[in-house]
Amino acid sequence: MDKKIKIAIIGVGGISGCHIDNYKKNPDVELYAFCDIDEAKLKMKGQMHGITRLYTDVDTMLAELPEIDAVSVCTWNSQHAPCTIKALDAGKDVICEKPMSINVEDAMKMKEAAERNGKILMLGFVRRYGRDCRIMKDLEKEGDFGDIYYTKARYIRRRGNPGGWFANKEMSGGGCLIDLGVHVIDYVRYVMGCPKPISVYGATFDKLGNKGAAEGEWQASSSGGGICNVEDLAVAIVRFDNGAVLNIETSFELNGESPTDNSIQIFGTKSGAILQDGIKIYSDIGGHMINTTLCEPSSADFSEMFTSEINHFVDCVKNQKQPISTAEDGVLLMKILMGIYESAKTGHEVILD
Ligand SMILES: NC(=O)c1ccc[n+]([C@@H]2O[C@H](COP(=O)([O-])OP(=O)(O)OC[C@H]3O[C@@H](n4cnc5c(N)ncnc54)[C@H](O)[C@@H]3O)[C@@H](O)[C@H]2O)c1
């Protein structure tokens, strides 16, 4: 594709800024149209970014602008499936924000729509595109971990329910697990070489409600009707078909010491590693235990990972190649998340198909 790729954004709220800013920096892209059901926000964002093709309805935009090549879906979660399927059926390549949807059935319909139309559906698992994840993946590919058999991921906020639609289950599909847990479950599964999840056992709690996000935490830019009916803590064990296990803890609200407590730990037969303000590697040299830090930046840099994610999507559209984070990955993640919610409800392990 020699001409510039015409991109439309569906949902121009908070996260769309990370897509828009990076499209604007990419020489292969023409940022072409915006769509949002909130007309005031749409006009404001149009003015801010010099976009004049503004639509409050996805169908109208897709019908009136057949020249659009690709779309970023940045709506709240319950609208990912309808907007993505419409864009794919209109012949557009799509990047959809995480989580893929609010249930497994919708996720499978999205994947089928991509296959039916022969179009790209990339999942916005942005953590895969960070330099920290690239380093972890290099270690895995080179065999430096050996056999990875245990992993731990924590994504804890002490006070960090974003409120608005995030707290309304009908719009979000759930709380901290589907919003934060999804990031680190996908990260660990990717570093492990994308094994198939076979069972989950989990518990969720809604003990603290929404105490309001602390300063600096993400806040919704759209209302959810003042409802809070999502979990504030989720803990789970995920078992994969290669025998490896992931232990996950994630919260919107938790009465622990730190405002945030985020880490990813990988344990292999040759070495282990932790990502927490940079990567540290635990191994043996000459029969002695050794801890290694990297002589290059290795912490998670959010701005850089969004640049890398959006550039990857543009490259995939331009060269019509499959992305690193696929619809298949999105479906498997939805199976894990929904399995954990089911397990929390029944108190039993859930076997995934
Ligand atoms: N990758 C990340 O790190 C990250 C961070 C934050 C949010 N997100 C994801 O991004 C998505 C949006 O989150 P946000 O914080 O930007 O929310 P937001 O409320 O700020 O923005 C969502 C926008 O979508 C619009 N919208 C909803 N339904 C629509 C429809 N059918 N057609 C057109 N517009 C529609 C809303 O009016 C709103 O402006 C969510 O899926 C969230 O999980 C990802």
Side-chain angles (χ1 to χ4, degrees), residues 16 24 30 47 53 120 136 180 210 232 237-238 241:
S16 71
K24 284 169 89 170
E30 179 181 2
Q47 216 160 34
R53 298 176 195 88
I120 294 165
M136 290 281 206
L180 305 179
N210 182 2
D232 41 49
I237 288 184
V238 184
D241 62 351

Side-chain angles (χ1 to χ4, degrees), residues 54-65:
L54 303 175
Y55 292 83
T56 52
D57 174 60
V58 175
D59 295 308
T60 312
M61 178 179 81
L62 293 171
E64 288 187 8
L65 302 178

Side-chain angles (χ1 to χ4, degrees), residues 243-274:
V245 161
L246 160 67
N247 176 335
I248 161 107
E249 284 181 313
T250 180
S251 70
F252 273 165
E253 310 273 348
L254 188 68
N255 289 327
E257 185 184 0
S258 311
T260 57
D261 183 359
N262 303 335
S263 65
I264 283 170
Q265 288 178 266
I266 306 287
F267 301 96
T269 49
K270 275 197 196 165
S271 73
I274 184 167

Side-chain angles (χ1 to χ4, degrees), residues 10-16 19 35-38 41 55-58 73-77 79-80 82-83 97-99 124-126 155 165-166 178-179 183 218-223 302 306 309:
I10 304 177
V12 291
I15 205 61
S16 71
H19 291 233
C35 173
D36 200 297
I37 51 175
D38 180 336
K41 195 188 284 181
Y55 292 83
T56 52
D57 174 60
V58 175
V73 173
C74 300
T75 64
W76 50 68
N77 303 345
Q79 290 300 303
H80 287 183
C83 292
E97 264 300 340
K98 47 53 66 174
F125 290 138
V126 70
Y155 199 152
W165 67 264
F166 285 89
I178 200 166
D179 183 47
H183 278 296
W218 192 261
Q219 310 235 10
S221 82
S222 321
S223 166
F302 280 87
F306 268 106
E309 178 194 66

